[in-house]
Amino acid sequence: MAAFGDDAAAMDSISRAPSAHSAALNPAGSTSSHGDGPEDVADSPAPAPKKTSMNSDGGVETAEEAVEPAEPDINELCSDMFEKMAIFLQGELTGTCEDYRLLENMNKLTSLKYMEMKDISINISRNLQDLNNKYASLQPYLDQINQIEEHVSSLEQAAYKLDAYSKKLEARFKKLEKR
């Protein structure tokens, strides 16, 4: 695995001469490309000191693994995370509950509208049945009116025939009178 940044510099310094290694371990003596200002130094934890020892193999220094400083109160961070997660979940559940309440209210209103429409349709059906009953009760009278109309039209035809016959008789009478 390739190392980057400060880790790469530390590995390079291990393989170099002891003077280069001590310069790499001393961050105050070297300039950093991260731009550590006063506010950056206060925010980042101080690096743990590394123990160096001289090995009998030709003066190569070895470094022990640095121990990271303890995180600032993990219990507080965990409890803060759990509180925020609880607030988030409470908000999600509240939103879902509100959606269900809205849906319930909409269903109630729709049910009421359907009940009103049912009542209206029942009233229309009842009125239509009443009209059908009244029409059925008037049907004999309507049949009589139709019969009377037929008789009147037959009488009218007879009257036209009688009028035509009387005109013929009148014409004959005038013809006989002139002779």
Side-chain angles (χ1 to χ4, degrees):
M1 181 164 82
F4 298 103
D6 292 334
D7 291 338
M11 286 183 190
D12 285 342
S13 67
I14 291 173
S15 63
R16 290 190 191 152
S19 63
H21 178 66
S22 64
L25 290 178
N26 187 2
S30 64
T31 59
S32 175
S33 63
H34 298 300
D36 287 340
E39 64 274 3
D40 290 339
V41 172
D43 289 342
S44 65
K50 297 179 181 178
K51 294 182 181 179
T52 59
S53 64
M54 290 296 288
N55 195 355
S56 61
D57 298 348
V60 176
E61 288 185 42
T62 59
E64 291 183 15
E65 188 174 321
V67 178
E68 291 186 22
E71 290 293 323
D73 201 12
I74 290 178
N75 289 335
E76 287 181 23
L77 292 174
C78 286
S79 67
D80 185 45
M81 184 213 37
F82 283 124
E83 287 173 8
K84 289 180 180 177
M85 186 60 96
I87 291 170
F88 170 75
L89 291 175
Q90 186 68 30
E92 287 291 316
L93 292 174
T94 302
T96 304
C97 287
E98 291 299 321
D99 288 344
Y100 280 121
R101 279 192 200 111
L102 176 65
L103 188 61
E104 181 182 10
N105 289 338
M106 288 172 56
N107 284 339
K108 286 179 182 177
L109 287 174
T110 304
S111 175
L112 289 174
K113 286 292 184 182
Y114 278 125
M115 293 296 273
E116 289 175 7
M117 290 171 60
K118 177 186 170 191
D119 291 340
I120 290 170
S121 65
I122 287 172
N123 287 335
I124 290 172
S125 174
R126 188 177 304 132
N127 290 337
L128 183 63
Q129 190 174 5
D130 289 344
L131 284 174
N132 286 336
N133 290 339
K134 287 179 182 178
Y135 182 78
S137 67
L138 290 176
Q139 190 63 41
Y141 299 114
L142 294 173
D143 291 339
Q144 285 180 359
I145 290 172
N146 288 339
Q147 288 176 355
I148 290 171
E149 185 180 0
E150 289 173 7
H151 287 78
V152 166
S153 54
S154 66
L155 282 174
E156 186 179 10
Q157 291 298 325
Y160 284 134
K161 286 180 185 177
L162 187 60
D163 187 45
Y165 182 71
S166 66
K167 285 183 183 178
K168 282 182 187 177
L169 279 179
E170 184 181 355
R172 271 190 194 172
F173 180 72
K174 285 187 181 179
K175 195 179 191 185
L176 285 176
E177 203 176 68
K178 285 186 183 179
R179 275 200 227 172

